[in-house]
Amino acid sequence: PDGTLVYYSETVTTPPFAEHLENLCVIQIKNGAAVLRKLTRGERFDTYNLEDFYGDKLENQEVEWCAKIRFIKLP
């Protein structure tokens, strides 16, 4: 919800993202926004699907980096 604080690792990972697959993380989409999503493999080479809390997906996205979530503080 609005007002939620997300603390994430200062160390970001660049592709491949094997240690982040199937985990919720902060993801920087290439030429886009940073989002909080679960990372899974995409259908095309070097792409990923990004799933939100409601099950909606951004499919076959090119990801610049991702980072491990350290703590989430709800409002």
Side-chain angles (χ1 to χ4, degrees):
D2 288 341
T4 300
L5 295 175
V6 178
Y7 296 88
Y8 61 93
S9 174
E10 291 179 1
T11 306
V12 297
T13 305
T14 55
F17 302 110
E19 70 269 19
H20 295 292
L21 288 175
E22 300 296 327
N23 291 313
L24 187 65
C25 48
V26 176
I27 300 164
Q28 176 65 51
I29 302 170
K30 283 192 179 177
N31 303 316
V35 295
L36 181 65
R37 302 281 175 113
K38 183 172 94 171
L39 185 73
T40 59
R41 291 197 190 279
E43 292 180 13
R44 295 185 304 210
F45 177 74
D46 210 22
T47 66
Y48 298 88
N49 295 331
L50 313 175
E51 186 175 342
D52 70 10
F53 297 104
Y54 306 105
D56 296 328
K57 286 184 184 178
L58 296 172
E59 295 184 337
N60 299 309
Q61 299 293 307
E62 293 183 15
V63 174
E64 190 170 330
W65 58 260
C66 63
K68 181 178 180 179
I69 294 174
R70 298 290 183 194
F71 183 75
I72 297 176
K73 181 181 179 188
L74 296 173

